[in-house]
Amino acid sequence: MDFSILIPARLASTRLPDKPLADIAGKPMVVRVADRVATAGAERVVVATDAQRVVDACAAHGVQAVMTRSDHASGSDRLAEACEQLGLDGDDVVVNVQGDEPLIDPALVRDCARLLAEHPECAVATAAHAIHDLDEFRNPNVVKVVLDAAGRALYFSRAPIPCWRDGGGALPQPAPLRHMGLYAYRAGFLRRFPTLPPAPTEQLEALEQLRVLWHGERIAVLVSPLAPGPGIDTPEDLARVRAQWGR
């Protein structure tokens, strides 16, 4: 199975300035991510950035990077341009790995790509894992997903879904699912995605993946037994991940 991994990385971050270049045990964070997913079996691993400093840092560590425009509204927009530069189109499978997840499981990346390859009726694949904590289920910062009988997404929400009408406020059974921000796309769809009008539900929930469903495309969902490794959004997050590298 051939697939590509693209890692969007931009320097602008209000909570952690220059985040892609943050040092983790002697290497920039974005390089740590690229190194981590290099074992997933992809044909190529490419960083897509809007900063020459990121391109230079990647080059210094043997990581391929492409320069994209600085005015992209989202990471998927940036990856759409990267697909064009790399000549990826049609049914080529592209996995979007966030540049702030140096602890991501390479097997999860590979399995997400394989899931999309095995579901030709879907334009996108993503991942989820079971929620076993009621506070997490109620937390609007935790995105939930509900699936159909074939394991495809019916809806994503910040609200606690599915709602157990007779549960008395308890956690639904079977366990609800937390969406994980990992996506595999068909490159042709990814290149078309920025041209699609935003969905009303997307604007209400602030969830870009709802645009996919709104426009009638399907999303296959890989249910993982494990939660993902922690991402890095703040200096405190960075300190915790550095500690795991023994620094």
Side-chain angles (χ1 to χ4, degrees), residues 143-207:
V143 178
K144 277 70 69 173
V145 60
V146 173
L147 310 184
D148 68 11
R152 299 174 303 218
L154 286 171
Y155 192 68
F156 298 86
S157 183
R158 298 182 183 279
I161 58 171
C163 176
W164 189 7
R165 187 192 67 176
D166 300 323
L171 199 67
Q173 295 298 325
L177 296 174
R178 177 177 184 162
H179 177 232
M180 299 156 63
L182 174 69
Y183 294 96
Y185 298 92
R186 298 196 188 282
F189 174 75
L190 180 56
R191 291 175 64 163
R192 184 166 60 91
F193 182 78
T195 71
L196 298 175
T201 50
E202 170 191 357
Q203 295 172 317
L204 286 171
E205 298 255 22
L207 296 174

Side-chain angles (χ1 to χ4, degrees), residues 131-139 144 160 164 168-172 176:
I131 297 173
H132 299 293
D133 180 84
L134 186 57
D135 288 338
E136 183 180 10
F137 182 56
R138 292 171 171 169
N139 185 346
K144 277 70 69 173
W164 189 7
L171 199 67

Side-chain angles (χ1 to χ4, degrees), residues 69 72-74 76-81 84 185 187-199 202 208 211-212 214-215 217:
R69 300 198 320 269
H72 288 303
S74 69
S76 55
D77 294 338
R78 189 173 312 286
L79 296 192
E81 183 187 349
E84 185 174 357
Y185 298 92
F189 174 75
L190 180 56
R191 291 175 64 163
R192 184 166 60 91
F193 182 78
T195 71
L196 298 175
E202 170 191 357
E208 192 179 58
R211 190 185 315 180
V212 181
W214 177 261
H215 288 281
E217 298 288 353

Side-chain angles (χ1 to χ4, degrees), residues 23-206:
D23 182 270
I24 298 177
K27 288 186 178 182
M29 183 192 308
V30 70
V31 172
R32 286 291 181 194
V33 175
D35 287 350
R36 180 84 170 180
V37 299
T39 61
E43 185 178 6
R44 62 175 66 82
V45 177
V46 183
V47 172
T49 183
D50 60 355
Q52 187 61 46
R53 291 168 60 201
V54 174
V55 172
D56 294 343
C58 289
H61 293 277
V63 174
Q64 184 180 358
V66 295
M67 180 73 80
T68 58
R69 300 198 320 269
S70 61
D71 60 347
H72 288 303
S74 69
S76 55
D77 294 338
R78 189 173 312 286
L79 296 192
E81 183 187 349
C83 282
E84 185 174 357
Q85 290 191 37
L86 295 168
L88 299 173
D89 205 351
D91 283 336
D92 293 339
V93 174
V94 175
V95 182
N96 175 3
V97 174
Q98 297 302 313
D100 58 3
E101 295 190 9
L103 298 177
I104 191 168
D105 184 354
L108 182 65
V109 175
R110 181 180 62 250
D111 290 346
C112 193
R114 180 180 292 115
L115 181 68
L116 183 58
E118 292 173 349
H119 285 269
E121 80 282 8
C122 295
V124 181
T126 190
H129 68 90
I131 297 173
H132 299 293
D133 180 84
L134 186 57
D135 288 338
E136 183 180 10
F137 182 56
R138 292 171 171 169
N139 185 346
N141 295 316
V142 173
V143 178
K144 277 70 69 173
V145 60
V146 173
L147 310 184
D148 68 11
R152 299 174 303 218
L154 286 171
Y155 192 68
F156 298 86
S157 183
R158 298 182 183 279
I161 58 171
C163 176
W164 189 7
R165 187 192 67 176
D166 300 323
L171 199 67
Q173 295 298 325
L177 296 174
R178 177 177 184 162
H179 177 232
M180 299 156 63
L182 174 69
Y183 294 96
Y185 298 92
R186 298 196 188 282
F189 174 75
L190 180 56
R191 291 175 64 163
R192 184 166 60 91
F193 182 78
T195 71
L196 298 175
T201 50
E202 170 191 357
Q203 295 172 317
L204 286 171
E205 298 255 22

